[in-house]
Amino acid sequence: MNRPHPPRTRPPARRRLLGTALAAAALAAVGAGRPAAAAAFDLPQLMALLAQRKSGEARFSEERYVGGLDGPLRSRGTLSFSAPDRFARHTTEPRPESMEVDGNTLRLRRGDRTRQMSLDAIPELAGLVDALRGTLSGDARTLQRQFDTRVSGQPQRWTLLLTPRDARLAAQIRSLEIVGQGPALRSVEMQMSGGDRSLMLIDAPTP
């Protein structure tokens, strides 16, 4: 009487190959019903979005964290911008003062005192002004003159990270992180090379 032969088994390697093929087929079937991934949001797209606004005014509140102090230094006021190169910051608290930039001219006011100078005389401040004006006006060339740029997020909520290229600026500022919604800026966080930092929150435009 002939004994039945035991069932033949597949070699382990063949089973692994078959399992891989089945898994790939399942993933392909699932992926076939999904829409293609959205294209990455990049610097040119962000600049085009920001360039839609030619002017604006908004309220701000800022906290500066300085080494050796128990708490942050707080200030409030308004920001205004008119493309391509006019920018102003008017502080109302804790005391009235203002900074106005028109082209390459900087005006500082505190009380009854006014000081005017060229931005070329203060390279570090010129870099900060370029960061703000370049972002507000959607001018990638101005930004990339002073900073390496990295964009993340989507048009509804994006982040622009600026890292100084110039050694003199990098000696003062480690990075600037600007967060926005659509064409509007919502916050600017500055990390100083010495460990201090500041966070500016920008509210809805004033009436």
Side-chain angles (χ1 to χ4, degrees), residues 64-65 128 169-176 189-198:
R64 294 178 57 200
Y65 297 85
L128 287 176
L169 184 57
Q172 302 293 325
I173 301 168
R174 183 184 303 167
S175 66
L176 283 164
E189 183 170 8
M190 181 167 58
Q191 299 282 350
M192 306 300 291
S193 296
D196 298 345
R197 69 181 180 93
S198 67

Side-chain angles (χ1 to χ4, degrees), residues 41-53 133-144 149 151 158 160 162:
F41 188 56
D42 58 13
L43 183 65
Q45 290 174 312
L46 175 58
M47 294 295 100
L49 181 65
L50 292 168
Q52 295 175 14
R53 299 188 67 176
R133 291 195 300 195
T135 302
L136 288 166
S137 62
D139 185 351
R141 181 176 298 179
T142 294
L143 284 178
Q144 293 177 320
T149 61
V151 176
W158 50 266
L160 173 63
L162 303 176

Side-chain angles (χ1 to χ4, degrees), residues 83-137:
D85 57 6
R86 297 184 65 183
F87 172 79
R89 169 184 165 134
H90 297 283
T91 302
T92 57
E93 299 176 27
R95 58 180 177 270
E97 58 185 31
S98 67
M99 179 187 75
E100 299 177 359
V101 182
D102 188 353
N104 197 45
T105 301
L106 170 69
R107 295 182 185 87
L108 299 174
R109 292 189 178 92
R110 178 177 293 179
D112 296 331
R113 300 177 59 184
T114 300
R115 185 181 179 189
Q116 180 171 308
M117 67 192 77
S118 168
L119 279 176
D120 292 336
I122 317 172
E124 295 81 7
L125 182 57
L128 287 176
V129 171
D130 275 352
L132 292 173
R133 291 195 300 195
T135 302
L136 288 166
S137 62

Side-chain angles (χ1 to χ4, degrees), residues 20-32:
T20 301
L22 290 174
L27 287 173
V30 172

Side-chain angles (χ1 to χ4, degrees), residues 66-70:
V66 180
L69 297 182
D70 293 334

